[in-house]
């Protein structure tokens, strides 16, 4: 295991668990939002093996009676029953992770989609500067969340931006089928990080803009934060993207500020912390 022990005799306040298709990251936060300890391990493909590894990791980190925990998952969540209905990149269905983690940690636990939590984390960094923030992750797929005054808008938590339909190359296609990181690799044979050719970025920018303008029209945000593997390369295509979006701008639909995500690997766990703190602050 890749273990990073930063303190000893730690009394954790909040625990964050970011479950990914290839790795899982556990982070312990103090009350001020500082990461005091973290541990990363490869995500076992078998759910029962994952639970065993997770429990052993909590023990190894010395976690005892935290105030609250949030588990981030790459899939569709039944928040009322604490069940993950389906994972985007793991063959797990209808798994009661919330109850399992509650048994391990003996504290309140909440499940949430990982893209939503990453967006919450990024929007909180902009709180006080922008009221309405849309976070869009352009990675293997496309997802996102709408955050108002540092709080995820509850009626949009299950929105699937990447599944919006557009006519593309003569047929109806989901946005993520032609604009995601996976689509970029399929079309150009390279990851976004490997692409330097301006003409290639022109095509990518156009495809991203086609969906992004609908997101702007729907939410009318003050700012958009773009994350994910493609978003990490925003500096390569931001000017071209703004040019493409300007084609669709009118008196009713204005192009907001567009920013690159500030956090990379730890955005999700910081979102977990923010939600955990919110949950713990609410009266029982």
């Amino acid at each position: 295991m890749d273990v990073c022990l930063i303190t000893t005799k730690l009394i954790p306040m909040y625990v964050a668990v970011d479950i990914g298709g290839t790795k899982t990251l556990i982070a312990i936060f103090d009350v001020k939002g500082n990461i005091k300890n973290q541990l990363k391990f490869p995500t076992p493909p078998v759910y029962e093996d994952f639970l065993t590894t997770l429990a052993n990791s909590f023990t190894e980190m010395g976690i005892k009676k935290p105030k609250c925990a949030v588990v981030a998952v790459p899939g569709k969540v039944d928040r009322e029953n604490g069940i993950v209905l389906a994972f985007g990149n793991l063959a797990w269905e209808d798994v009661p992770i919330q109850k399992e983690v509650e048994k391990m940690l003996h504290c309140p636990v909440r499940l949430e989609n990982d893209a939503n939590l990453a967006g919450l984390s990024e929007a909180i960094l902009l709180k006080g500067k922008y009221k309405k923030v849309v976070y869009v992750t352009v990675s293997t797929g496309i997802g996102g969340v709408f955050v108002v005054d540092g709080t995820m808008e509850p009626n949009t938590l299950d929105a699937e931006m990447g599944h919006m339909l557009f006519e593309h190359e003569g047929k109806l296609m989901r946005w993520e089928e032609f604009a995601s990181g996976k689509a970029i690799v399929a079309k150009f044979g390279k990851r976004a990080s490997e692409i330097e050719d301006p003409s290639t970025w022109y095509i990518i920018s156009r495809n991203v803009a086609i969906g992004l303008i609908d997101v702007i029209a729907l939410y009318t945000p003050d700012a958009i934060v773009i994350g994910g593997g493609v978003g990490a390369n925003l500096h390569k295509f931001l000017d071209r993207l703004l040019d493409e979006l300007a084609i669709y701008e009118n008196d009713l639909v204005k192009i907001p500020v567009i920013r690159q995500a500030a956090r990379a690997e730890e955005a999700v766990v910081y979102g977990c912390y923010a939600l955990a703190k919110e949950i713990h602050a609410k009266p029982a």
Side-chain angles (χ1 to χ4, degrees):
M1 289 186 182
D2 180 9
V3 183
C4 177
L5 295 176
I6 301 175
T7 63
T8 58
K9 297 182 179 179
L10 177 67
I11 301 176
M13 292 295 293
Y14 305 108
V15 177
V17 181
D18 176 13
I19 304 173
T22 58
K23 66 174 179 61
T24 294
L25 175 63
I26 303 171
I28 298 175
F29 287 84
D30 65 16
V31 69
K32 295 182 179 179
N34 301 307
I35 294 180
K36 308 304 292 184
N37 189 0
Q38 56 184 310
L39 182 153
K40 186 191 302 181
F41 62 84
T43 304
V46 178
Y47 178 62
E48 289 73 16
D49 294 341
F50 166 77
L51 292 177
T52 299
T53 304
L54 184 64
N56 290 340
S57 299
F58 288 152
T59 300
E60 186 172 350
M61 297 176 77
I63 300 175
K64 295 181 180 179
K65 297 182 179 179
K67 299 296 184 183
C68 186
V70 171
V71 179
V73 297
K76 189 171 180 61
V77 179
D78 177 349
R79 296 173 185 83
E80 183 177 352
N81 295 302
I83 295 172
V84 185
L85 301 174
F87 284 76
N89 45 18
L90 289 165
W92 304 346
E93 294 182 356
D94 301 323
V95 291
I97 292 180
Q98 181 171 306
K99 291 181 180 179
E100 299 286 358
V101 177
E102 285 174 348
K103 291 176 184 177
M104 297 176 194
L105 295 180
H106 306 288
C107 73
V109 175
R110 177 73 63 84
L111 297 182
E112 189 50 75
N113 175 269
D114 56 0
N116 288 351
L117 291 166
L120 174 62
S121 167
E122 291 292 334
I124 286 174
L125 292 176
L126 303 177
K127 190 175 179 180
K129 189 171 184 179
Y130 302 108
K131 178 181 176 66
K132 298 186 297 181
V133 178
V134 168
Y135 173 81
V136 179
T137 175
V138 185
S139 190
T140 302
I142 296 178
V145 67
F146 183 41
V147 182
V148 180
D149 284 332
T151 300
M152 295 182 292
E153 188 65 23
N155 293 327
T156 66
L157 291 179
D158 292 320
E160 291 289 349
M161 297 178 186
H163 286 250
M164 294 188 298
L165 286 173
F166 298 92
E167 184 177 354
H168 182 74
E169 297 181 347
K171 58 183 178 180
L172 280 177
M173 297 179 66
R174 294 180 178 86
W175 185 24
E176 64 181 27
E177 289 180 321
F178 63 87
S180 66
K182 183 178 180 180
I184 289 171
V185 173
K187 185 175 182 66
F188 301 107
K190 295 181 179 180
R191 297 178 182 273
S193 59
E194 301 169 330
I195 296 173
E196 300 295 338
D197 176 44
S199 63
T200 300
W201 280 114
Y202 166 77
I203 296 171
I204 294 170
S205 300
R206 183 184 61 198
N207 290 341
V208 171
I210 287 171
L212 200 58
I213 193 64
D214 279 12
V215 172
I216 293 169
L218 179 62
Y219 294 113
T220 62
D222 302 313
I224 288 179
V225 178
I226 300 182
V230 178
N233 294 274
L234 184 63
H235 59 284
K236 295 182 181 179
F237 68 101
L238 177 58
D239 290 343
R240 173 60 70 179
L241 177 62
L242 291 172
D243 288 344
E244 290 298 309
L245 289 172
I247 296 172
Y248 307 107
E249 188 173 28
N250 57 49
D251 291 340
L252 298 179
V253 179
K254 298 296 184 181
I255 307 305
V257 171
I258 297 179
R259 302 170 60 111
Q260 183 174 318
R263 292 177 171 136
E265 187 172 343
E266 295 176 340
V268 174
V269 292
Y270 274 101
C272 290
Y273 158 74
L275 183 57
K277 186 177 180 182
E278 178 184 325
I279 295 166
H280 184 232
K282 291 181 179 178

